[in-house]
């Protein structure tokens, strides 16, 4: 696979760090951002790279040359006039196969081969690397398709919701910033476009039919209009991806590189997680929570989850939701409640890496109950099924991980899964207290 890196940015927001060189040439731990990127590409077997340069581009050419001293092959496309974030893709020769597209101001350490496998399996026009982050409401949010039991494509009423990863709505950051969530009752998962894509040349050809200009914006002119094709997919990853658009982000990345956090989050490496119960641990307990209005964060919960994020642990919710089996709530309602939780956390700079729930319940006799979910299962806590599934999906080392909850079921589930620590939240010992104790 070839890689194209858009390396022509001026970096007006980060001029206090460096203003006399292109943004991708800003040094971090002694090396330009671009060099960190090229090292990651090389470690994934990608050595055929095109750099799109512009402002002060001679600095990039002089440093990297043909790439031979870095073990890669580098070609250049220099924009003599700005072509936007995608115009150059129509000028570069040889992009006749799916290629990786990167922004030159981003530090990342990702398993690109895993990403490429996802792209191929979905037959995508474009696969977008997506992740939760600490500032989702000044970012572009992706809304993906969920097919609930009984719907076309998931006719089995006994099935769980099917997340297809297909993007069905794209909220650019200007649109995202204008939403008044409480007033409009609109809640979205924290799923941010990370600015790393695998693009099919077929998409470029289709988009070109509707474009009559040379300066082209990748998101607004190509990707967002193609959502209606059903062939734009979001690849959700917990790996480290952070742009250096501002001085604050630059210094945070520098700190994360020094600590080893950046490399440790690559999914080739074993991850460590803090597993969290939901009701009574993150949000106020409301019995069997069935109403959107009752999703209210506990004081300090967002601060606790933010501390988990900053410590390099995955924050993974593991929750029993027997309201489904009892017939008290639909999968759609549960999805909205969980989306509200993610929205509220995101507004306070915290995020969840994943959420797993069990819809089952063994007791019968409830009005409107759903018998297909009345069963003995392996996922209802205190059984460890959800933790084991998360460990498989996210390459988690359970023996380095922690379970925090407000009931003995949570503690037993953590122990049954082999977690290193378990902590019980109580009235006088909050989630924040627990996180401060164990991290």
């Amino acid at each position: 696979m070839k890689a194209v890196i858009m390396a022509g940015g001026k970096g007006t927001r980060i001029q206090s760090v460096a203003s006399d060189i292109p943004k991708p040439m800003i040094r971090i731990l002694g090396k330009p951002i671009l060099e960190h990127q090229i090292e990651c590409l090389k470690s994934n077997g990608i050595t055929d790279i095109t750099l799109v340069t512009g402002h002060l581009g001679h600095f990039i050419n002089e440093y990297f040359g043909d790439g031979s001293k870095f073990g890669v092959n580098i070609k250049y496309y220099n924009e003599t006039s700005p072509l936007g974030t995608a115009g150059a893709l129509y000028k570069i020769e040889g992009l006749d196969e799916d290629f990786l597209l990167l922004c030159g101001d981003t530090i990342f350490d990702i398993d690109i081969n895993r990403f490429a496998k996802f792209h191929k399996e979905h037959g995508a026009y474009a696969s977008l690397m997506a992740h939760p982050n600490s500032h989702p409401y000044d970012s572009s949010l992706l809304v993906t398709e969920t097919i609930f039991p009984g719907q076309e494509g998931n006719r089995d009423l006994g099935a769980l919701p099917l997340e297809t990863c297909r993007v069905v709505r794209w909220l650019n950051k200007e649109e995202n910033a204008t939403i008044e969530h409480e007033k409009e009752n609109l809640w979205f998962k924290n799923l941010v476009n990370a600015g790393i894509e695998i693009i099919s040349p077929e998409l470029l050809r289709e988009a070109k039919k509707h474009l009559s200009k040379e300066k082209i914006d990748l998101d607004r002119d190509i990707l967002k209009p193609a959502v209606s094709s059903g062939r734009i997919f979001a690849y959700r990853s917990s790996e480290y991806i952070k742009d250096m658009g501002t001085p604050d982000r630059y210094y945070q990345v520098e700190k994360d590189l020094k600590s080893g956090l950046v490399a440790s989050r690559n999914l080739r490496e074993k991850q460590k997680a803090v597993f969290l119960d939901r009701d009574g641990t993150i949000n106020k307990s409301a019995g069997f929570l069935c109403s959107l209005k009752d999703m209210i964060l506990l004081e300090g919960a967002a601060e606790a989850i933010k501390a988990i994020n900053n410590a390099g642990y995955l924050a993974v919710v593991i929750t029993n939701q027997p309201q489904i089996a009892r017939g008290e709530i639909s999968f759609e309602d549960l999805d909205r409640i969980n989306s509200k939780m993610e929205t509220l956390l995101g507004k306070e700079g915290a995020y969840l890496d994943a959420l797993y729930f069990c819809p089952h319940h063994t007791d019968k006799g409830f009005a409107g109950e759903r018998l297909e979910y009345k069963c003995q299962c392996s996922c209802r806590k205190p059984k460890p099924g959800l933790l084991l599934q998360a460990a498989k999906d996210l390459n988690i080392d359970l023996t380095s991980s922690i379970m925090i909850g407000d009931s003995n079921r949570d503690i037993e589930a953590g122990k049954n899964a082999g977690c290193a620590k378990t902590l019980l939240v109580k009235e006088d010992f909050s989630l924040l207290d627990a996180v401060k104790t164990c991290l």
Side-chain angles (χ1 to χ4, degrees), residues 131-136 189-192 236-242 256 261 265 274 276 282 301-317 341-354:
H131 62 170
N133 73 13
S134 60
H135 52 97
K189 291 183 173 64
N190 185 340
L191 189 61
V192 173
R236 182 164 184 149
S237 175
S238 59
E239 294 166 298
Y240 192 101
I241 307 166
K242 191 178 288 291
D256 294 341
L261 175 62
R265 293 299 290 268
V274 177
L276 302 165
I282 297 174
E303 184 181 350
I305 293 171
K306 190 173 181 179
I308 295 169
N309 302 149
N310 292 338
Y313 284 74
L314 302 182
V316 181
V317 168
M341 175 176 62
E342 290 204 41
T343 300
L344 297 176
L345 289 171
K347 286 187 173 183
E348 296 192 46
Y351 60 87
L352 301 172
D353 292 285

Side-chain angles (χ1 to χ4, degrees), residues 33-300:
I33 297 168
L34 264 177
E35 189 171 347
H36 288 279
Q37 293 185 337
I38 288 169
E39 287 175 351
C40 182
L41 293 176
K42 184 182 175 184
S43 73
N44 280 274
I46 297 176
T47 57
D48 193 348
I49 302 167
T50 297
L51 300 180
V52 178
T53 59
H55 178 67
L56 301 176
H58 63 280
F59 285 104
I60 296 174
N61 201 314
E62 290 167 4
Y63 186 89
F64 289 102
D66 65 2
S68 56
K69 68 179 181 179
F70 300 94
V72 297
N73 174 43
I74 296 178
K75 296 178 181 178
Y76 296 86
Y77 182 84
N78 183 59
E79 293 185 351
T80 54
S81 60
L83 295 174
T85 53
L89 300 180
Y90 289 98
K91 308 288 186 180
I92 298 170
E93 296 181 358
L95 294 183
D96 49 6
E97 296 181 354
D98 295 0
F99 62 92
L100 182 71
L101 182 62
L102 309 169
C103 297
D105 64 348
T106 304
I107 285 290
F108 54 83
D109 197 328
I110 57 178
D111 185 346
I112 298 172
N113 293 317
R114 183 170 171 157
F115 183 28
K117 181 181 178 183
F118 170 92
H119 175 78
K120 185 176 180 180
E121 288 174 347
H122 287 80
Y125 267 165
S127 295
L128 316 180
M129 184 76 73
H131 62 170
N133 73 13
S134 60
H135 52 97
Y137 300 103
D138 67 352
S139 306
S140 292
L141 281 183
L142 303 175
V143 181
T144 54
E145 175 185 55
T146 300
I147 303 175
F148 297 100
Q151 295 180 344
E152 196 63 41
N154 193 9
R155 300 299 298 174
D156 182 0
L157 292 175
L160 290 175
L162 176 64
E163 294 190 18
T164 68
C165 304
R166 191 188 314 275
V167 177
V168 294
R169 185 175 179 184
W170 183 305
L171 296 169
N172 60 46
K173 61 183 179 181
E174 294 84 4
E175 183 182 1
N176 187 10
T178 64
I179 294 172
E180 297 181 53
H181 298 280
E182 290 281 1
K183 183 178 179 181
E184 300 176 45
N185 205 19
L186 287 174
W187 310 99
F188 299 105
K189 291 183 173 64
N190 185 340
L191 189 61
V192 173
N193 179 25
I196 298 175
E197 299 92 7
I198 297 177
I199 304 287
S200 164
E202 185 182 358
L203 171 61
L204 298 182
R205 289 193 295 269
E206 287 297 314
K208 189 64 174 176
K209 296 175 183 178
H210 309 286
L211 295 170
S212 58
K213 56 184 181 179
E214 287 203 330
K215 188 174 183 180
I216 300 168
D217 184 272
L218 177 69
D219 291 359
R220 290 169 176 79
D221 294 330
I222 296 180
L223 293 175
K224 189 174 181 179
V227 165
S228 61
S229 72
R231 293 183 62 187
I232 306 298
F233 290 86
Y235 171 80
R236 182 164 184 149
S237 175
S238 59
E239 294 166 298
Y240 192 101
I241 307 166
K242 191 178 288 291
D243 73 82
M244 251 89 67
T246 66
D248 285 348
R249 292 179 197 168
Y250 171 86
Y251 293 117
Q252 183 62 53
V253 169
E254 185 177 52
K255 178 182 176 182
D256 294 341
L257 279 167
K258 285 180 179 178
S259 71
L261 175 62
V262 176
S264 70
R265 293 299 290 268
N266 188 303
L267 284 174
R268 292 194 298 259
E269 305 295 329
K270 279 290 185 182
Q271 304 298 303
K272 52 187 180 179
V274 177
F275 296 106
L276 302 165
D277 176 50
R278 195 191 76 174
D279 303 321
T281 302
I282 297 174
N283 57 281
K284 292 183 179 180
S285 182
F288 291 113
L289 197 159
C290 298
S291 174
L292 194 61
K293 67 179 177 59
D294 290 331
M295 170 49 72
I296 302 169
L297 296 183
L298 285 164
E299 184 178 353

Side-chain angles (χ1 to χ4, degrees), residues 312-380:
Y313 284 74
L314 302 182
V316 181
V317 168
I318 304 291
T319 177
N320 290 347
Q321 292 297 317
Q323 304 94 301
I324 296 289
R326 290 160 60 107
E328 297 169 344
I329 191 173
S330 68
F331 282 108
E332 292 90 340
D333 290 335
L334 178 59
D335 193 60
R336 283 190 286 270
I337 289 169
N338 287 332
S339 294
K340 180 178 179 181
M341 175 176 62
E342 290 204 41
T343 300
L344 297 176
L345 289 171
K347 286 187 173 183
E348 296 192 46
Y351 60 87
L352 301 172
D353 292 285
L355 183 149
Y356 295 82
F357 70 89
C358 168
H360 305 110
H361 195 236
T362 54
D363 296 344
K364 298 181 180 179
F366 299 94
E369 65 185 16
R370 300 184 63 171
L371 295 178
E372 64 271 27
Y373 297 105
K374 293 287 184 176
C375 63
Q376 293 285 349
C377 65
S378 61
C379 55
R380 180 171 169 78

